[in-house]
């Protein structure tokens, strides 16, 4: 088992979680937020795009990619944002991994979306 560090993705250390763990060529990511240097846009599409780009960094550090995602969980602050999130999401997730979308109450009210994934590493030859 290996741990992806915050330094590997160019982010400051987080005292309570790791960005991802890789075990048996499977990547388990933490939730990625749609922020840039701790700043959050009020626009759900901007936050969704940034969350996906942050997830891409974590997956790359794990020897994986968005195309290798098996399952994605999207957490959103408001149900009315689903259509806008989906418009951004479908530009990036071409393989259409299994997905759940959950409406949640984030402790930080500036957070509108969080995305986590389970993926396989590039060393695995998948038959999809």
């Amino acid at each position: 088992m290996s741990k992806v560090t915050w330094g590997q993705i160019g982010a400051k250390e987080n005292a309570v979680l790791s960005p991802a763990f890789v075990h048996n060529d499977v990547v388990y990511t933490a939730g990625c937020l749609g922020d840039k240097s701790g700043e959050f846009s009020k626009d759900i599409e901007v936050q969704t795009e940034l969350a996906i780009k942050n997830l891409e960094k974590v997956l790359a550090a794990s020897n994986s990619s968005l195309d290798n995602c098996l399952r994605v969980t999207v957490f959103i602050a408001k149900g009315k944002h689903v259509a806008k999130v989906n418009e951004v999401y479908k530009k990036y997730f071409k393989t259409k991994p299994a997905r759940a979308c959950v409406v949640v109450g984030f402790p930080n009210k500036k957070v509108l979306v969080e995305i986590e994934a389970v993926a396989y590493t590039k060393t695995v030859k998948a038959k999809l």
Side-chain angles (χ1 to χ4, degrees):
M1 179 167 55
S2 64
K3 176 172 74 170
V4 174
T5 67
W6 293 103
Q8 287 175 282
I9 62 168
K12 70 177 187 173
E13 197 67 29
N14 183 312
V16 294
L17 58 98
S18 299
F21 274 90
V22 180
H23 180 68
N24 291 335
D25 291 313
V26 178
V27 181
Y28 302 89
T29 74
C32 293
L33 300 178
D35 69 316
K36 192 170 192 174
S37 301
E39 296 295 319
F40 292 91
S41 169
K42 293 180 181 180
D43 185 307
I44 185 63
E45 289 141 320
V46 170
Q47 278 202 33
T48 302
E49 187 131 6
L50 286 171
I52 293 170
K53 288 180 186 247
N54 288 335
L55 178 61
E56 278 183 306
K57 289 179 191 175
V58 173
L59 291 169
S62 306
N63 191 32
S64 191
S65 69
L66 294 177
D67 289 342
N68 292 24
C69 286
L70 302 168
R71 186 176 199 304
V72 175
T73 305
V74 178
F75 302 96
I76 58 175
K78 299 176 182 174
K80 70 180 184 178
H81 289 156
V82 171
K84 289 181 178 182
V85 168
N86 284 342
E87 284 304 309
V88 176
Y89 180 94
K90 71 182 180 183
K91 292 191 302 188
Y92 290 92
F93 290 94
K94 302 295 185 189
T95 60
K96 298 181 181 178
R99 188 186 97 173
C101 184
V102 183
V103 177
V104 299
F106 292 109
N108 180 343
K109 298 305 177 197
K110 293 179 182 177
V111 176
L112 301 177
V113 63
E114 182 175 358
I115 302 174
E116 66 179 27
V118 175
Y120 58 91
T121 65
K122 293 179 181 177
T123 58
V124 174
K125 301 297 181 210
K127 296 179 183 177
L128 296 177

